[in-house]
Amino acid sequence: MPLYENQHIKIYNSLSGEKEIFTPINKGYVGMYVCGPTVYSNVHLGNVRTFMSFDMIFRYLKHLGYKVRYVRNITDAGHLENDADLGEDKITKKARLEEVEPMEVVQRYTVDFHNVLNTLNFLPPSIEPTATGHIIEQIELIETIIENGFAYLVNGSVYFDVHKYNQSNEYGILSKRKLEDLIHNTRTLDGQSDKKNPQDFALWKKAEPTHIMRWPSPWSDGFPGWHLECTAMSTKYLGEFFDIHGGGMDLKFPHHECEIAQNQAAKGKTPVKYWMHANMLELNGARMSKSTGNYINPAELFSGDNDIMSKGFAPGVVRFFMMQASYRSVLDLTNDGLLAAEKGFNRLMEAIDNLDKLKTNNTSSFAITEWQQKCYDAMNDDFNTPILIAHLFEAVKMINQINDNKALITAEDLELLKSTLNTFTFDVLGLVNSKSSDLGTDKLNATVELLIKLRKEARMNKDFALSDKIRDKLAEVGIELKDGREGTTYSVK
């Protein structure tokens, strides 16, 4: 029997503004679409946090036994510089600045995107479609919207008629914005747009003579609107009505709002059952911004080659740090927060390493089955990773007590503890034990073992001052020595 039969998830649905029991459209199957990156620059850490949240959700759904089709797109055309359908396509602009082909820009930053996600131990999506690979589907979608009376053609460009749509539907249903308020707060730019109304958005843009990326269409040589690609690709691979659509909070309006309108206009139905949005990542209490200098990219965070953090942080530590907050909460990236996460990560990994050293007994001091269900309860409550991590540290405390002969555990409970701890730490949270990755652990082990040997020799020579100095100096840098009957061991705090 799959776990989802007994473990029932509640998801916060942005559409209703409430937590709802997750009931897939087709039992045992989940279709999930997440808006991917626009590949015109190195991937932003804030985007990494969003993709990591949905990687965690993907992992948990798979763990429960669902067959998940996870679609995450690559935007390689059509994303203009602002939401007013003005300016250049971001990729075209970058290609022009660097005097290269647009697809060179796309290739370079798609590779960077994949490298960063691989470094952070992401699972690949089931399908990763590109906007340029689905031009035909987007043209067909526009034709249907025009036929249904919700779009109009002006000078080779096609625009979605938001006002016409709002007469029979509700534009703003996801973001809870009213069209009347949007009209009131919009400044009209006379002569600068072909649109009937400022709220209308482009489905197809006619390419100017200097525009590099262009495709033939019934209306002009041009390129598709940014909002259109996600509607075309999500419904192509997941159907006209699918389970989960995710993305960053900043995409709720206008991008996701426009997706709903396009699907409703073309298919006559809402496309998604559960809308999920991950919140923002800040840096030292402020928005990340290259223009203000309050910015750090993933490579700089890993290497320490920056002026913001005191050192580099391993990818596993960065992932653990991000998992310590709910995906719906704003998360502040700080040096102190990362240092604390590093200590917690090391404690967790040390405890997991000690699992195989524990001695079993004929009785247990802990109710492991109840603890296991608490882990599931945390994840079932809208994927509450901070509460899950708190429960994992309850297990760390148990392990340390058993290791210090202050508590007991049966062989059966130990196996359950091992499997559950490994499942939630590695399979669900996606952490990687630092000892299995190239984080300099072998060098650290060799160095500390040498100091332990020197300390032992000092004690044998009754040089207790040197022995204590070695212990105290190691403690100052977060390495605690533990003397036991079987020798001296160490832990990183």
Side-chain angles (χ1 to χ4, degrees):
M1 179 187 294
L3 286 169
Y4 64 74
E5 296 281 7
N6 297 318
Q7 303 296 337
H8 305 296
I9 304 172
K10 279 189 174 182
I11 290 178
Y12 182 84
N13 190 347
S14 299
L15 191 61
S16 66
E18 297 177 351
K19 287 183 186 179
E20 300 176 8
I21 296 289
F22 178 61
T23 306
I25 297 164
N26 298 304
K27 185 175 180 180
Y29 293 84
V30 177
M32 181 169 75
Y33 185 90
V34 173
C35 293
T38 302
V39 282
Y40 70 100
S41 65
N42 296 108
V43 63
H44 191 285
L45 262 175
N47 290 338
V48 168
R49 191 218 173 176
T50 293
F51 301 136
M52 187 181 293
S53 296
F54 288 100
D55 179 67
M56 171 271 295
I57 291 166
F58 179 39
R59 286 169 172 273
Y60 188 59
L61 292 172
K62 282 168 64 73
H63 168 67
L64 292 185
Y66 288 110
K67 184 171 183 179
V68 186
R69 177 176 287 178
Y70 174 24
V71 182
R72 186 186 66 215
N73 73 297
I74 296 286
T75 296
D76 57 352
H79 193 166
L80 297 183
E81 293 175 275
N82 62 49
D83 294 324
D85 296 321
L86 300 173
E88 280 190 289
D89 179 289
K90 292 183 177 183
I91 293 164
T92 297
K93 181 178 180 181
K94 189 67 173 249
R96 193 183 307 285
L97 289 171
E98 297 188 6
E99 298 183 336
V100 297
E101 283 289 328
M103 282 302 150
E104 289 184 63
V105 174
V106 167
Q107 179 68 14
R108 181 194 314 161
Y109 294 116
T110 300
V111 169
D112 168 74
F113 173 67
H114 288 147
N115 286 342
V116 170
L117 267 56
N118 289 338
T119 300
L120 287 162
N121 196 36
F122 279 60
L123 296 178
S126 313
I127 303 173
E128 192 173 53
T130 63
T132 56
H134 296 77
I135 298 296
I136 292 173
E137 289 86 349
Q138 294 177 75
I139 289 174
E140 290 175 346
L141 189 59
I142 295 170
E143 289 176 330
T144 302
I145 294 173
I146 292 174
E147 288 172 9
N148 292 343
F150 294 108
Y152 56 91
L153 174 66
V154 180
N155 298 328
S157 294
V158 181
Y159 294 97
F160 189 94
D161 193 334
V162 171
H163 289 238
K164 176 74 176 294
Y165 172 82
N166 198 58
Q167 291 172 9
S168 54
N169 299 275
E170 184 182 352
Y171 183 77
I173 191 171
L174 178 65
S175 60
K176 309 300 184 282
R177 303 186 187 203
K178 296 293 184 184
L179 183 58
E180 295 77 14
D181 296 333
L182 294 173
I183 294 170
H184 179 73
N185 293 322
T186 300
R187 183 165 57 96
T188 302
L189 301 176
D190 293 332
Q192 294 191 30
S193 176
D194 292 329
K195 295 189 284 188
K196 290 181 182 177
N197 301 287
Q199 294 75 34
D200 297 347
F201 56 88
L203 298 175
W204 187 266
K205 288 283 285 185
K206 179 181 178 181
E208 299 298 326
T210 56
H211 198 93
I212 307 171
M213 300 180 81
R214 58 176 65 215
W215 292 266
S217 80
W219 316 287
S220 65
D221 280 3
F223 54 95
W226 170 43
H227 309 308
L228 189 71
E229 63 175 272
C230 289
T231 297
M233 290 186 282
S234 63
T235 55
K236 177 180 175 69
Y237 296 109
L238 299 175
E240 294 181 3
F241 185 51
F242 57 94
D243 297 295
I244 297 173
H245 193 316
M249 195 75 74
D250 56 320
L251 297 181
K252 186 185 291 187
F253 185 89
H255 185 53
H256 291 162
E257 198 72 71
C258 293
E259 280 192 62
I260 292 175
Q262 288 167 163
N263 209 80
Q264 194 79 36
K267 316 287 186 181
K269 62 177 71 173
T270 185
V272 179
K273 191 171 184 181
Y274 304 94
W275 284 91
M276 300 181 68
H277 292 92
N279 218 321
M280 309 297 286
L281 179 70
E282 295 182 341
L283 179 59
N284 292 324
R287 181 182 177 186
M288 275 200 213
S289 170
K290 287 184 180 179
S291 61
T292 63
N294 192 51
Y295 182 83
I296 184 171
N297 69 35
E300 293 168 339
L301 185 59
F302 300 150
S303 68
D305 185 18
N306 62 83
D307 298 324
I308 297 174
M309 303 299 173
S310 62
K311 60 192 283 292
F313 292 93
V317 170
V318 174
R319 183 164 184 127
F320 181 70
F321 171 80
M322 290 188 178
M323 291 289 102
Q324 287 182 306
S326 164
Y327 76 92
R328 289 198 294 119
S329 301
V330 174
L331 177 60
D332 190 14
L333 185 70
T334 66
N335 188 69
D336 287 347
L338 284 165
L339 288 171
E342 186 174 55
K343 290 181 179 179
F345 176 83
N346 289 332
R347 281 180 58 212
L348 179 59
M349 294 304 153
E350 181 192 5
I352 290 172
D353 288 343
N354 285 336
L355 278 167
D356 290 330
K357 303 174 187 176
L358 299 183
K359 296 175 182 177
T360 59
N361 208 290
N362 57 6
T363 187
S364 285
S365 304
F366 312 105
I368 302 299
T369 303
E370 292 180 13
W371 166 80
Q372 180 193 51
Q373 187 55 50
K374 283 163 61 178
C375 293
Y376 279 107
D377 289 344
M379 288 301 293
N380 293 341
D381 184 15
D382 196 30
F383 311 100
N384 198 326
T385 55
I387 297 299
L388 170 64
I389 289 172
H391 294 322
L392 297 185
F393 277 97
E394 290 176 14
V396 170
K397 186 176 180 181
M398 294 180 210
I399 292 166
N400 291 338
Q401 289 178 345
I402 297 165
N403 196 40
D404 293 339
N405 297 317
K406 295 179 180 177
L408 306 173
I409 193 167
T410 65
E412 183 181 5
D413 279 352
L414 179 58
E415 285 306 309
L416 182 59
L417 178 62
K418 281 183 186 179
S419 64
T420 305
L421 196 54
N422 281 308
T423 290
F424 283 102
T425 301
F426 303 124
D427 297 344
V428 174
L429 293 181
L431 303 180
V432 176
N433 194 326
S434 59
K435 292 197 172 182
S436 64
S437 56
D438 184 18
L439 301 176
T441 305
D442 291 341
K443 293 179 181 179
L444 175 64
N445 285 338
T447 302
V448 177
E449 291 298 336
L450 176 60
L451 290 170
I452 289 173
K453 183 178 179 181
L454 292 174
R455 178 171 174 264
K456 182 178 179 181
E457 291 175 358
R459 295 175 75 180
M460 290 174 65
N461 294 329
K462 300 191 184 301
D463 189 351
F464 298 114
L466 177 58
S467 170
D468 291 346
K469 186 175 182 180
I470 292 172
R471 180 198 64 206
D472 295 342
K473 287 296 181 183
L474 286 171
E476 286 178 12
V477 295
I479 298 173
E480 181 182 346
L481 300 184
K482 297 179 182 179
D483 296 317
R485 284 180 292 181
E486 298 179 1
T488 302
T489 59
Y490 79 92
S491 61
V492 181
K493 298 298 182 183

